[in-house]
Amino acid sequence: MKVGFIGLGAMGRPMALHLQAAGQELHVWARRPASADGLPATVHPTPAALGAACEVVFTVITSSADVEGVALGDNGLIHGMAPGSVLVDCSTIAPDVARRIAGQLAEKGIHMLDAPVSGGEQGAIAATLAIMAGGDAAVLERVRPLLEKLGQRIVHIGPNGAGQVAKACNQMIMVAAIEAVAEAMHLANAAGVDPAKVKQALAGGSAGSRVLDIMGQRMVDRDFSAGIEARLHHKDYGLVLAAARQSGVPVALTASVAQQLNALMALGFGKDDTSSLLRVLEAGRRGV
Amino acid sequence: MKIGFIGLGIMGRPMALNLLKGGHQLSVWARRAESMQPLLDAGASGAASPADVARGQELVISMVADAPDVAEVMRGVASAGTSGLVAVDMSTIAPAAAKAIHAELAAAGVDFVDAPVSGGEVGAIAGTLSIMAGGSDAAFARAQAAFECMGKNIVHVGGPGAGQVTKAANQIVTGMGVLAVAEAMAFASKNGVDRAKVREALLGGFAYSKILENHGQRMLDRNFKPGFKSWMHEKDLNIVMQTAHELGLCLPGSAATAQMFNAMVGSGLGEEDSIAVLKLLENLSGQA
């Protein structure tokens, strides 16, 4: 099958290569042509041209505005993709933007799934991503064989936008857990107790979690090199809080964690791993 | 002075009437034609559009709902091509939006002032609003005579956007202030202490504030009629939190307060005064 791919960053590139390795004919468009260097793929001059050549197009892009531009803008996918073809957007964007894009594509008979992923760069490389899909169930079944090359847990959440809601929930839980681990490590340290020992003990009990394992270890090692760039979690928290506001749902903990992420950005840790939330707590203890 | 006025709602109508009372010549425009009638009856002339309202004026003032409305009417005002025009927006919008409008109007030769107000409908009718202005000295000087018809405490805070920054700061203080007084009331009652006596005692000390005095009394009276509707306070706190997100600014108290107001809107208290946050606290603590 001819499969298009847009967004060849840390996540997108290994995902595109998995599809190609599985025997798909890979087509790409890249805003910076250099990002397509060395890929076994046909390079197209515009998203529209890519869309015209492919049955299924994947996008993995950072912001709502960028996804909207690539899908609906001048030379966007909507001007090339044929009726019956499918856009699978694996980016993390606002649920209402996902619905709007899906609605406009549907007017031209183009299908869309919002299919954000969780698992990070490691999950993308290992093809073990969790994929949460919103859109028509039959469309998901059509592209499921492709998604199975990218991840292990593929769940149909509901109609368009539902995948992005699930991703927002994922980010709420994960980043709040990182903050909880950071505060525990910080407390241990401030009380003169070895954080490594605390982490080791906790891992066996009710507080055990993947975040404690992975992010806790980074905090113990003081290895704050990304990982997941914290600025992306900061961006996602903006989306989560906007969605909570639209629904009139109070999210006290999320709002509080968002302030720690704001501080993280101000302290210049945006391109480091989110385990840097520990360093925000340490900055708060230094005084002036 | 020849003044154009756009937006004749709860706030705009009394403000425009006070300009007429101050002897200014007024041309008015409002989205809903029937809102114009009270002003026409009082001697203003009616215009057909924002562009029409700006023709031949020295000053144009807008008082509308939200940033997109301000941008739209100001685009119309600029299209009139009135030379040397000063345009003043007195709505509450994000500082970033005000700066963008300022830049757009400057390119069209219109000198823009952001001048949001505090004091509510009561202050608008009495002509005692607080006015906090951002813009050039020359533009502020042009608008000053008009400001003096509508308000008492008139401060030129700084350049473009400075008025909106000040208003956002005002909403931080009033939002947290109302919540603080409500929490003190709930605290007193849950301890079996007469909240009216607590308020009376506190008024004499360092906890004295206008909010404790006025909003506190309305809490005792359980008079939840607006005043200032809680959905509007929620909107303003969202401007605060959006700005904090964009700047990398840690505002934990505002974040918690914004979530309480989010809960008020979600639970149907949006049309009540912001002191209805007391009801929410009572519900959460089994005091209902």
Side-chain angles (χ1 to χ4, degrees):
Chain A
M1 195 191 301
K2 293 178 174 177
V3 175
F5 215 101
I6 296 177
L8 299 164
M11 297 291 294
R13 194 176 177 95
M15 291 166 72
L17 285 169
H18 288 315
L19 294 170
Q20 194 270 339
Q24 310 303 331
E25 187 182 323
L26 189 62
H27 293 250
V28 300
W29 172 80
R31 178 157 310 182
R32 288 174 299 114
S35 359
D37 283 353
L39 274 178
T42 308
V43 179
H44 292 268
T46 63
L50 170 96
C54 297
E55 289 166 63
V56 178
V57 177
F58 285 82
T59 47
V60 189
I61 315 175
T62 301
S63 76
S64 296
D66 289 343
V67 175
E68 204 162 14
V70 162
L72 306 177
D74 295 342
N75 296 316
L77 291 166
I78 195 169
H79 303 297
M81 290 178 74
S85 59
V86 183
L87 169 62
V88 182
D89 178 36
C90 297
S91 322
T92 296
I93 63 171
D96 58 338
V97 175
R99 285 184 206 111
R100 185 162 70 234
I101 295 171
Q104 294 203 25
L105 292 175
E107 285 172 18
K108 295 214 163 182
I110 304 164
H111 304 295
M112 173 176 161
L113 297 173
D114 46 297
V117 301
S118 175
E121 196 178 338
Q122 284 170 334
I125 292 167
T128 57
L129 294 168
I131 302 174
M132 28 213 127
D136 191 79
V139 174
L140 174 61
E141 290 317 308
R142 262 180 66 197
V143 301
R144 189 181 281 273
L146 296 173
L147 295 176
E148 282 170 348
K149 304 297 175 201
L150 307 175
Q152 283 171 336
R153 181 181 289 266
I154 300 154
V155 180
H156 181 237
I157 312 284
N160 277 117
Q164 294 297 351
V165 172
K167 180 66 191 282
C169 295
N170 183 79
Q171 301 306 75
M172 289 170 86
I173 294 172
M174 184 176 62
V175 182
I178 298 170
E179 174 66 16
V181 170
E183 291 186 11
M185 295 291 107
H186 185 55
L187 175 65
N189 201 28
V193 173
D194 182 358
K197 290 270 164 57
V198 172
K199 177 188 164 286
Q200 190 188 340
L202 265 45
S206 298
S209 71
R210 193 173 295 173
V211 164
L212 179 64
D213 287 346
I214 295 171
M215 310 301 264
Q217 193 58 49
R218 288 179 192 158
M219 293 178 204
V220 167
D221 297 340
R222 302 197 70 79
D223 172 17
F224 300 110
S225 58
I228 307 164
E229 291 188 27
R231 67 182 176 89
L232 298 175
H233 282 148
H234 176 254
K235 177 211 78 166
D236 292 350
Y237 259 52
L239 300 178
V240 171
L241 287 169
R245 177 172 189 252
Q246 274 169 10
S247 305
V249 171
V251 286
L253 177 60
T254 302
S256 175
V257 172
Q259 298 316 301
Q260 299 299 110
L261 288 170
N262 284 356
L264 181 154
M265 297 301 289
L267 292 168
F269 302 142
K271 294 203 163 178
D272 294 341
D273 187 79
T274 308
S275 53
S276 298
L277 283 168
L278 176 62
R279 290 193 281 176
V280 174
L281 296 168
E282 290 166 351
R285 195 159 175 262
R286 271 202 297 274
V288 285
Chain B
M1 193 170 13
K2 293 177 72 182
I3 302 175
F5 203 101
I6 296 169
L8 301 167
I10 292 177
M11 295 293 290
R13 186 190 321 125
M15 290 162 70
L17 284 169
N18 281 334
L19 289 171
L20 279 176
K21 259 184 236 160
H24 297 289
Q25 236 181 303
L26 216 58
S27 167
V28 298
W29 180 81
R31 188 150 304 183
R32 290 178 306 121
E34 64 266 29
S35 336
M36 289 164 58
Q37 200 54 52
L39 272 298
L40 302 183
D41 294 345
S45 61
S49 68
D52 193 27
V53 103
R55 261 177 218 116
Q57 310 290 355
E58 296 159 77
L59 187 70
V60 173
I61 297 172
S62 66
M63 189 65 180
V64 296
D66 214 343
D69 305 301
V70 179
E72 191 189 329
V73 299
M74 283 301 168
R75 237 164 253 148
V77 165
S79 75
T82 308
S83 77
L85 183 66
V86 169
V88 179
D89 175 52
M90 306 188 76
S91 326
T92 295
I93 64 174
K99 279 188 205 165
I101 292 167
H102 188 281
E104 192 178 331
L105 290 199
V110 177
D111 205 350
F112 181 72
V113 179
D114 51 298
V117 303
S118 171
E121 187 183 359
V122 175
I125 292 168
T128 57
L129 293 167
S130 287
I131 300 175
M132 27 213 134
S136 73
D137 289 339
F140 179 78
R142 172 86 60 86
Q144 192 149 16
F147 287 158
E148 280 163 6
C149 297
M150 300 182 282
K152 276 252 166 71
N153 186 24
I154 302 156
V155 181
H156 182 202
V157 182
Q164 296 296 352
V165 170
T166 310
K167 179 66 191 280
N170 183 75
Q171 299 308 75
I172 292 173
V173 175
T174 56
M176 266 193 265
V178 169
L179 181 55
V181 170
E183 290 191 8
M185 297 270 174
F187 182 81
S189 298
K190 189 84 174 179
N191 278 287
V193 172
D194 183 348
R195 48 171 77 170
K197 292 256 166 64
V198 169
R199 171 179 164 280
E200 197 185 324
L202 264 47
L203 282 176
F206 256 124
Y208 170 81
S209 70
K210 227 179 247 185
I211 288 175
L212 179 63
E213 186 167 8
N214 299 336
H215 294 65
Q217 185 59 50
R218 281 190 279 133
M219 289 182 203
L220 292 174
D221 299 340
R222 303 195 78 75
N223 173 10
F224 299 108
K225 275 184 297 188
F228 188 59
K229 290 180 180 178
S230 53
W231 75 261
M232 297 184 79
H233 217 145
E234 194 279 337
K235 184 203 88 167
D236 293 354
L237 285 169
N238 183 54
I239 289 173
V240 170
M241 299 322 300
Q242 276 289 121
T243 306
H245 179 82
E246 284 155 21
L247 295 180
L249 181 65
C250 183
L251 301 178
S254 301
T257 306
Q259 290 307 313
M260 292 298 286
F261 279 86
N262 186 13
M264 289 171 77
V265 173
S267 56
L269 296 172
E271 292 293 326
E272 298 194 7
D273 189 86
S274 48
I275 64 157
V277 75
L278 177 66
K279 289 193 203 173
L280 191 63
L281 289 174
E282 290 169 343
N283 288 341
L284 288 169
S285 305
Q287 290 178 285

